[in-house]
Amino acid sequence: MSYITKSPWIIHYDGSSCNGCDIEVLACLTPMYDVERFGIINTGNPKHADVFLVTGSVNEQNKNVVKQIYEQMPEPKVVVAVGICANNGGIFKECYNIQGGVDTVIPVDCYVPGCAARPEAIIDGVVKGLGILAEKREKLRQEQLAAKSGAKAAPQAMPVLDDPAEAKEEEA
Amino acid sequence: MGKRTIIPFGPQHPVLPEPVHLDLVIEDEKVVEAIPSIGFIHRGLEKLVEKKEYTEMVYVIERICGICSFGHGWGYCGAVENAMGIQIPERAEAMRTIWHELSRLHSHLLWLGLLADGFGFDSLFMHCWRIRETILDILEETTGGRVIFSVCKVGGIRKDVDNDYLKGIVEKLHAIEDDIRSLTTVFMNDTSVKNRLCGVGVLSKEEALDLCTVGPMARASGIELDMRVGTPSYQKLGFEPIVRTEGDCYARCAVRIGEIFQSIELIEKAVEEMPDGPIEVAVKGNVEGEATFRLEQPRGGAFYYAKGFEKGTKFLERMRVRTPTNMNIPAMTKMLQGCDLADVPMIVLTIDPCISCTER
Ligand code: SF4
């Protein structure tokens, strides 16, 4: 848990879920489970979000919405699929309008099982996701540093403002 | 008059817990027309009857919607039981009533929270959901699940709860009653809350009748329509629907708040009069005729239809559900005409939309 030094914001989108998992996601944010104590806030704006929680499977109509939200989120980002529907279609797998799990349209980092997924499991999933987020952040930083030192003529990559102190050092 | 502009609202929007898309045609700040488009959550689960046996289908039907899942299970079992001519034991009926009212309690508290969130009163939202957890705990202790229960089955219920425990439930409900009352006084009396709700999205009785509204929507516009009136298990408890006449967002809120306390009373009475006996009857054979069943869900009257093949097989030929939100969407578009853009979230929320019910 020591890697929760930042305050990760989540965005939640309901694919074609039955609502069961959605209300459990919301329950995580409310006093009983209260993930806000870790600084986790639910935002409606994809550009503010670090973690993408998807409940429910994807279909023809909503797959573009899921893709768009994912693409709008800034790097690094983590996708957590909540509930068995989001994992692989679950009980609705055989329905004619279900394409399958969320991983058929966007890469998923963390799968939370359950129908409905319990709030404890969702929190677990998000915390796992945060670990992955930290790794991705580090990797991105390395890549950008390499790009910076490697090609001087190339357009300069944006400094990663992870650690303001470090960024200043680099500038100096 | 300004130029007409179209503003897309949804499917992913902060006040919407669920995806529905509205095209709002606006002129200056007034909405001229709202065009809903749905289909984001359509799964086509009615067609699964071809692949799942009629006893398994309960699990699918419960997952039409996670908020009123118990009611859906009951409705489906009711329709199949009617088609097979099964009379379930009294105790099973009474237990179903209790669970159904508990889900109404949790659904209405959930809705109150979302409404508070909609008008930006975050601490009220948190308190509503905090209280709701008590109800979820009761549901979890008695059924094993927090939102999906799977305790209803064709021919009765799966789990019994002993009478002492039931009395304990009533005590727990009484313990949170004061808490709920202090919250609902905020909804009913706070000036800034009333500013957002009173006189917003008015639906007259005639319009409500014309547009076939159901549930708390209809009751807030002065129509005495509640499926529970004709249900034997509720008649025994002396059920009377709660009706308001203003037809605005405030009235819809008041009806639901009234129903919260009514549900607690109904549960108390049901526990007092709880008959002893078996909780299920043996179910043999296949569904052959067809039958219907009506039920009052938290969002309004729902209707279930089940039809078996003539030469019985383990499968149903057709299964159909008419859900309440579906019936209330025309009224919502009507109310949105002429409202301020800033009031759109309030109006959308006060119909208590459940999109996964609507689209199935
Ligand atoms: S996993 Fe279960 S509870 Fe969650 S959305 Fe799917 S059907 Fe509903």
Side-chain angles (χ1 to χ4, degrees):
Chain A
M1 292 286 279
S2 57
Y3 41 74
I4 311 190
T5 48
K6 310 260 178 337
S7 161
W9 286 20
I10 61 171
I11 182 169
H12 165 223
Y13 182 72
D14 167 0
S16 57
S17 87
C18 79
N19 257 344
C21 287
D22 303 300
I23 54 178
E24 294 296 56
V25 168
L26 275 182
C28 290
L29 300 163
T30 50
M32 176 81 181
Y33 295 97
D34 193 20
V35 292
E36 257 185 60
R37 66 202 148 120
F38 303 131
I40 301 176
I41 300 180
N42 189 15
T43 164
N45 187 339
K47 304 240 167 185
H48 294 175
D50 306 295
V51 182
F52 187 15
L53 282 187
V54 201
T55 51
S57 34
V58 286
N59 59 27
E60 269 311 303
Q61 177 95 326
N62 71 25
K63 73 177 187 207
N64 287 332
V65 184
V66 171
K67 253 192 232 157
Q68 271 167 23
I69 297 178
Y70 179 75
E71 275 156 17
Q72 284 180 53
M73 284 170 63
E75 291 284 351
K77 55 195 163 189
V78 167
V79 179
V80 181
V82 176
I84 200 75
C85 281
N87 294 4
N88 69 355
I91 192 162
F92 305 122
K93 206 173 185 173
E94 292 165 296
C95 288
Y96 58 81
N97 199 26
I98 293 292
Q99 201 179 326
V102 179
D103 48 9
T104 50
V105 285
I106 55 173
V108 174
D109 298 286
C110 207
Y111 296 87
V112 179
C115 179
R118 293 185 59 88
E120 292 92 341
I122 298 176
I123 295 175
D124 248 17
V126 172
V127 169
K128 274 235 166 68
L130 293 183
I132 301 173
L133 188 70
E135 274 165 31
K136 281 192 178 175
R137 191 187 291 130
E138 186 52 36
K139 204 169 140 220
L140 198 72
R141 213 168 65 93
Q142 297 296 346
E143 273 172 21
Q144 285 175 345
L145 280 182
K148 209 171 163 189
S149 57
K152 282 238 165 79
Q156 205 158 19
M158 279 281 288
V160 192
L161 291 181
D162 248 354
D163 197 338
E166 226 171 279
K168 245 183 226 149
E169 253 169 49
E170 277 160 27
E171 267 166 34
Chain B
M1 269 293 142
K3 222 174 70 194
R4 290 201 170 184
T5 330
I6 295 181
I7 296 188
F9 183 80
Q12 190 264 329
H13 187 278
V15 302
L16 290 174
E18 284 179 279
V20 62
H21 178 85
L22 288 173
D23 275 322
L24 300 171
V25 184
I26 62 161
E27 228 171 55
D28 297 335
E29 280 293 297
K30 293 270 181 227
V31 177
V32 191
E33 200 186 355
I35 308 156
S37 68
I38 57 175
F40 294 94
I41 327 191
H42 179 64
R43 290 153 283 180
L45 56 82
E46 280 171 13
K47 204 165 163 54
L48 275 187
V49 286
E50 292 168 9
K51 293 182 185 145
K52 305 253 185 225
E53 291 175 13
Y54 73 90
T55 44
E56 287 173 345
M57 196 60 196
V58 189
Y59 306 119
V60 179
I61 296 295
E62 281 205 317
R63 285 165 176 83
I64 288 180
C65 166
I67 306 178
C68 31
S69 65
F70 185 82
H72 283 306
W74 185 4
Y76 170 79
C77 293
V80 173
E81 280 154 9
N82 283 354
M84 298 175 81
I86 296 174
Q87 180 67 43
I88 66 161
E90 276 185 357
R91 189 175 173 92
E93 186 89 23
M95 280 307 300
R96 283 184 183 180
T97 313
I98 291 177
W99 276 321
H100 191 48
E101 287 310 310
L102 281 171
S103 19
R104 187 183 317 278
L105 273 175
H106 109 72
S107 167
H108 281 353
L109 282 171
L110 176 147
W111 174 81
L112 280 176
L114 290 182
L115 183 74
D117 191 37
F119 53 61
F121 202 150
D122 251 20
S123 53
L124 199 53
F125 161 59
M126 293 291 176
H127 280 299
C128 290
W129 281 61
R130 174 179 57 83
I131 295 177
R132 178 178 162 267
E133 287 291 337
T134 321
I135 315 252
L136 288 187
D137 285 347
I138 298 177
L139 282 168
E140 190 177 0
E141 280 162 8
T142 51
T143 66
R146 279 167 56 92
V147 290
I148 306 275
F149 314 116
S150 306
V151 278
C152 242
K153 67 172 185 182
V154 178
I157 51 173
R158 232 171 265 280
K159 289 190 182 119
D160 200 359
V161 181
D162 60 48
N163 288 344
D164 287 339
Y165 198 86
L166 285 174
K167 297 212 177 82
I169 293 181
V170 177
E171 270 161 34
K172 274 187 205 160
L173 289 179
H174 281 311
I176 56 169
E177 209 175 343
D178 282 341
D179 237 1
I180 303 181
R181 190 155 282 129
S182 63
L183 275 191
T184 51
T185 12
V186 180
F187 281 99
M188 292 288 91
N189 300 332
D190 190 89
T191 333
S192 51
V193 173
K194 274 171 110 174
N195 275 342
R196 291 301 303 270
L197 299 179
C198 288
V200 175
V202 180
L203 190 74
S204 70
K205 187 172 178 179
E206 289 69 37
E207 285 167 339
L209 275 174
D210 277 353
L211 296 166
C212 304
T213 54
V214 291
M217 274 280 278
R219 293 197 283 282
S221 293
I223 305 173
E224 244 182 76
L225 174 78
D226 195 313
M227 301 293 171
R228 286 177 284 177
V229 172
T231 313
S233 56
Y234 281 97
Q235 259 165 357
K236 259 186 252 163
L237 308 176
F239 172 80
E240 291 275 342
I242 292 175
V243 181
R244 298 278 294 217
T245 46
E246 302 96 315
D248 56 0
C249 289
Y250 183 75
R252 289 192 276 280
C253 187
V255 166
R256 291 199 178 96
I257 287 175
E259 286 183 6
I260 291 181
F261 296 111
Q262 191 185 37
S263 286
I264 297 182
E265 264 171 43
L266 286 173
I267 293 173
E268 191 180 355
K269 269 192 212 149
V271 169
E272 267 168 27
E273 292 170 16
M274 182 57 104
D276 286 319
I279 51 162
E280 55 181 322
V281 290
V283 177
K284 282 201 206 79
N286 300 318
V287 191
E288 283 166 9
E290 55 180 339
T292 59
F293 194 81
R294 298 185 318 177
L295 184 82
E296 182 76 17
Q297 289 278 26
R299 284 158 189 74
F303 182 85
Y304 302 84
Y305 169 81
K307 178 170 187 244
F309 285 102
E310 252 165 53
K311 274 237 193 68
T313 69
K314 286 236 170 297
F315 300 91
L316 292 178
E317 185 182 350
R318 181 82 171 93
M319 154 78 212
R320 166 99 183 118
V321 186
R322 196 192 78 172
T323 53
T325 307
N326 206 357
M327 309 311 296
N328 285 339
I329 283 184
M332 177 185 86
T333 49
K334 167 85 200 161
M335 288 187 297
L336 286 174
Q337 280 168 22
C339 79
D340 285 333
L341 184 60
D343 284 334
V344 171
M346 281 300 97
I347 295 177
V348 174
L349 276 176
T350 51
I351 80 159
D352 198 357
C354 176
I355 308 301
S356 53
C357 276
T358 314
E359 305 180 352
R360 300 187 289 286

